[in-house]
Amino acid sequence: MKPIAYMHMPFGTKFGIPRQSGLVKELRGEIVMEQEYSREEAFRGLEAFSHIWLLWEFSDAVLPRGKAWSPTVRPPRLGGNRRVGVFATRSPFRPNPIGLSCVRLESVARRDDRMVLTVSGIDLMDGTPIYDIKPYIPVADCHPEATEGYTAETKNHLLQVDFPKELLERLPRNCHDAVRAVLAQDPRPGYSDDPQRVYGVMYAGFDVRFRVSGTLLTVCDVVSDGG
């Protein structure tokens, strides 16, 4: 198989990317099709669907050289101290590094010689290779009776975000809502709980630095990657 498209969005690193698709609806990106697959007829009818499935590669999650895949992993949301089977997780470290995301389709358009799909609610980093796109079909894909397994123990509890106005205004205005929503999801690993530690999320060329104490996240600086 080979990629049919690549994701373009403001996250160039893994840290801070939402843990699942749909958690941060304000987070937008563009799927830019490879020229070979940029034929308008291949997308005929897709605009009638509100959501699509993406099959993609964990391109930045590479097992150390010579290390075999592990049958168990430590999900960060379980504090990093409990092992569960790799096939009971969405860990990137798997026999085949394949990701699956359901995202909202905002638009389908041609831009120069490429087809571009604008999507929201994404959990992919910039440059992620995409191998397939399929429509989300509620009658088949939605299962309200589904059970949650151990993830029922790890419900997302949103943080309160204190983002001083003078720091927020260092960011482009069209980033404000997305950055706030990303921070509210608590980007830290589940086992991190040091109120003095400063973390940094790289977004749209800016390093957003913050601390967390209890349920309050406080942004303490915003620095452009150019200094």
Side-chain angles (χ1 to χ4, degrees):
M1 295 193 299
K2 59 181 180 179
I4 62 170
Y6 289 88
M7 174 61 70
H8 292 263
M9 56 91 67
F11 269 118
T13 61
K14 292 183 294 184
F15 186 77
I17 294 176
R19 293 178 175 87
Q20 304 292 339
S21 58
L23 293 181
V24 180
K25 295 176 173 56
E26 298 89 344
L27 196 56
R28 287 194 173 208
E30 294 181 338
I31 299 169
V32 180
M33 304 299 298
E34 292 289 88
Q35 194 165 17
E36 179 181 357
Y37 306 105
S38 289
R39 298 176 57 172
E40 291 189 40
E41 60 267 33
F43 300 89
R44 187 179 301 149
L46 186 63
E47 70 282 350
F49 292 89
S50 64
H51 292 74
I52 56 176
W53 289 106
L54 304 178
L55 285 164
W56 47 277
E57 180 187 357
F58 286 103
S59 54
D60 200 47
V62 181
L63 288 170
R65 185 180 296 276
K67 183 177 180 181
W69 70 279
S70 172
T72 61
V73 297
R74 302 174 189 265
R77 277 314 222 185
L78 290 178
N81 53 16
R82 241 174 90 185
R83 284 192 173 274
V84 297
V86 66
F87 299 125
T89 74
R90 299 190 179 186
S91 167
F93 300 107
R94 18 193 358 101
N96 293 306
I98 298 170
L100 175 69
S101 297
C102 182
V103 299
R104 184 173 186 85
L105 179 63
E106 302 289 349
S107 67
V108 181
R110 173 172 287 281
R111 185 179 301 162
D112 298 325
D113 61 344
R114 302 296 177 98
M115 293 298 294
V116 177
L117 281 62
T118 300
V119 294
S120 61
I122 53 182
D123 59 345
L124 289 71
M125 63 183 285
D126 187 55
T128 297
I130 296 172
Y131 286 89
D132 203 8
I133 297 168
K134 302 178 189 291
Y136 174 90
I137 302 173
V139 68
D141 297 342
C142 181
H143 300 279
E145 76 285 4
T147 58
E148 300 178 75
Y150 67 85
T151 63
E153 306 171 29
T154 61
K155 296 288 189 182
N156 276 348
H157 299 288
L158 296 181
L159 298 177
Q160 178 184 347
V161 177
D162 178 13
F163 206 138
K165 183 178 179 181
E166 65 273 15
L167 296 179
L168 183 63
E169 289 178 348
R170 295 181 188 177
L171 296 171
R173 184 165 294 277
N174 62 356
C175 294
H176 291 187
D177 290 343
V179 170
R180 279 183 171 278
V182 165
L183 295 175
Q185 290 287 333
D186 193 355
R188 302 172 303 160
Y191 49 81
S192 295
D193 192 24
D194 180 356
Q196 299 305 314
R197 181 173 175 180
V198 176
Y199 299 85
V201 167
M202 292 299 301
Y203 189 87
F206 291 86
D207 183 6
V208 181
R209 300 173 184 173
F210 64 91
R211 292 188 179 92
V212 179
S213 179
T215 60
L216 176 64
L217 181 150
T218 303
V219 177
C220 48
D221 205 358
V222 174
V223 182
S224 74
D225 59 4

